[in-house]
Amino acid sequence: MKKTAILIPCYNESRTVEKVVRDYRSAFPEADIYVYDNNSTDHTDELARKAGAIVRYEHKQGKGNVVRSMFRDIEADCYIMVDGDDTYPAQDAVKLAELVNEQGVDMAIGDRLSSTYFTENKRPFHNTGNRLVRWLINTCYQADVTDIMTGLRAFSWDFVKSFPVCSKGFEIETEMTIFALDNNMQLAEIPIGYRDRPEGSVSKLNTVSDGLKVLKTIGTLLRDTRPFAFFTTISLVFLLITLGLFIPVYAEYLKTGLVDKIPTLIMVCMFGISTLLCFFTGVVLTSFRKNQKKEFERDLTTLRLDREISQKLQALEQAAQIEIVEDLSQSGKDIS
């Protein structure tokens, strides 16, 4: 039987964490449920433990830091990550787990935006931000992902153990999506239900500051994963500025045979050089990026082999222990 782990990052979710743990225990009776407390001050950890969760702590503030610890610490075949605010029905997570366990999907996304999100969510700027982020990523990566920022996802072991967490906060969802798209991992989306936070439960997401962090993350990852597109875009902007400055100077030269605007001509030369530098930077970094992708595939294969060897060794060890116990039992010795 494949092992499933439920991962619940929490920061001051005492209003909802008990219900979330119990709902997911009912939906996944054989799973291990982990609540990672991120410096809560409202006894979230005590309530989660009371509900039957395994409670661990991450003292570096931010959802990205919590995800880094969860992915490093926990071993499973299928990982379900859900927010602790009781906005995602547990039964929908079962469908995501099936995609990972039965169809080999690396990241299964719970799509809120195709169901009840825009009617349940009462924060209009959040809705606008979701649309903007979705458009940017789908445009830059030629993708068709509907819900980039969802808090309910399922992951394979391959994804969890190969994903380098760099984000510290709520931009982690954006980083996950871009990582999967850039490394050609198998994605799947299914519509899920969404309900707004119950009364008394407060969102930790700041629309403006966290939204700017998400946009910065998209720009940074675009630079790192699509260097040719990123730097040639800058090169094109510099080229347009160069032409805009050069054409009047050249027209005057053709008319009078003189160049009076020497400072402008110097600026033309500077922008022209910048145009060439940005273009060739994109060309060179694209070559490096191709090599990085090859190394990623090799590293992922190595990870899988190491895991298979570890599992076989554990199975042999367990079999040897069982054989020893049986031999002792047959000889009538006390094995207590």
Side-chain angles (χ1 to χ4, degrees):
M1 181 181 295
K2 291 189 176 181
K3 182 179 179 181
T4 300
I6 311 296
L7 312 180
I8 310 175
C10 284
Y11 172 59
N12 287 340
E13 298 290 3
S14 61
R15 178 73 177 78
T16 54
V17 68
E18 283 186 279
K19 184 176 184 299
V20 173
V21 171
R22 287 170 180 154
D23 285 352
Y24 277 80
R25 169 62 65 210
S26 177
F28 296 90
E30 302 299 327
D32 293 329
I33 299 181
Y34 296 88
V35 169
Y36 270 66
D37 184 88
N38 193 206
N39 301 315
S40 297
T41 57
D42 63 351
H43 306 292
T44 293
D45 54 343
E46 297 174 11
L47 294 170
R49 193 177 290 110
K50 179 182 176 182
I54 302 168
V55 177
R56 294 181 178 176
Y57 298 90
E58 173 52 57
H59 298 293
K60 287 181 288 186
Q61 196 66 41
K63 187 175 182 180
N65 291 322
V66 178
V67 172
R68 181 186 299 108
S69 294
M70 292 192 297
F71 282 7
R72 285 178 180 175
D73 296 347
I74 298 171
E75 283 289 333
D77 298 294
C78 175
Y79 300 77
I80 307 290
M81 189 171 75
V82 61
D83 292 340
D85 55 9
D86 193 31
T87 55
Y88 300 96
Q91 288 304 318
D92 288 334
V94 176
K95 304 172 188 175
L96 298 179
E98 290 173 354
L99 290 174
V100 173
N101 288 327
E102 298 176 11
Q103 298 184 26
V105 170
D106 289 302
M107 183 168 70
I109 298 171
D111 170 20
R112 311 160 296 167
L113 305 188
S114 296
S115 59
T116 57
Y117 181 79
F118 291 116
T119 56
E120 285 287 324
N121 184 23
K122 306 302 188 297
R123 292 152 293 189
F125 288 111
H126 284 207
N127 298 342
T128 303
N130 270 287
R131 291 190 179 99
L132 175 61
V133 170
R134 176 176 62 184
W135 178 80
L136 283 172
I137 291 180
N138 286 336
T139 300
C140 294
Y141 290 88
Q142 295 83 51
D144 189 25
V145 181
T146 304
D147 194 349
I148 307 294
M149 307 293 291
T150 181
L152 177 60
R153 299 168 188 255
F155 308 99
S156 67
W157 183 91
D158 284 356
F159 183 96
V160 166
K161 297 306 178 183
S162 63
F163 174 51
V165 181
C166 297
S167 299
K168 297 179 181 179
F170 285 106
E171 60 271 26
I172 184 66
E173 284 94 355
T174 303
E175 186 181 7
M176 288 176 176
T177 304
I178 291 177
F179 173 79
L181 291 172
D182 184 57
N183 289 288
N184 198 31
M185 291 194 157
Q186 187 174 350
L187 270 68
E189 277 189 298
I190 58 171
I192 60 170
Y194 178 87
R195 52 189 178 237
D196 204 7
R197 284 173 171 267
E199 186 177 352
S201 177
V202 181
S203 174
K204 316 306 182 298
L205 178 64
N206 183 287
T207 303
V208 177
S209 63
D210 288 311
L212 291 175
K213 289 177 184 177
V214 168
L215 294 177
K216 179 182 177 182
T217 297
I218 293 174
T220 301
L221 292 174
L222 181 63
R223 179 199 65 194
D224 295 341
T225 61
R226 295 285 193 274
F228 187 76
F230 182 85
F231 284 100
T232 51
T233 300
I234 298 175
S235 177
L236 180 61
V237 172
F238 283 159
L239 178 61
L240 293 175
I241 295 173
T242 302
L243 292 175
L245 294 172
F246 177 70
I247 289 174
V249 174
Y250 187 61
E252 183 182 359
Y253 172 76
L254 291 177
K255 185 178 179 179
T256 65
L258 300 173
V259 178
D260 293 331
K261 300 179 179 179
I262 299 299
T264 303
L265 188 60
I266 294 173
M267 292 294 293
V268 168
C269 294
M270 292 176 61
F271 276 110
I273 293 171
S274 299
T275 299
L276 292 174
L277 285 175
C278 285
F279 177 78
F280 286 107
T281 297
V283 171
V284 172
L285 290 180
T286 297
S287 178
F288 281 115
R289 182 60 188 155
K290 288 182 179 179
N291 289 331
Q292 286 179 343
K293 287 190 173 184
K294 292 177 183 177
E295 291 176 3
F296 172 80
E297 293 297 332
R298 286 195 293 266
D299 291 343
L300 184 56
T301 300
T302 302
L303 279 173
R304 290 173 178 169
L305 290 173
D306 290 344
R307 189 190 188 206
E308 290 177 6
I309 292 171
S310 177
Q311 289 175 335
K312 289 179 180 178
L313 289 174
Q314 289 177 0
L316 289 172
E317 184 179 351
Q318 290 174 356
Q321 290 175 350
I322 292 172
E323 186 177 350
I324 292 171
V325 170
E326 290 177 347
D327 290 343
L328 291 173
S329 297
Q330 290 174 0
S331 63
K333 294 183 178 180
D334 184 7
I335 60 172
S336 60

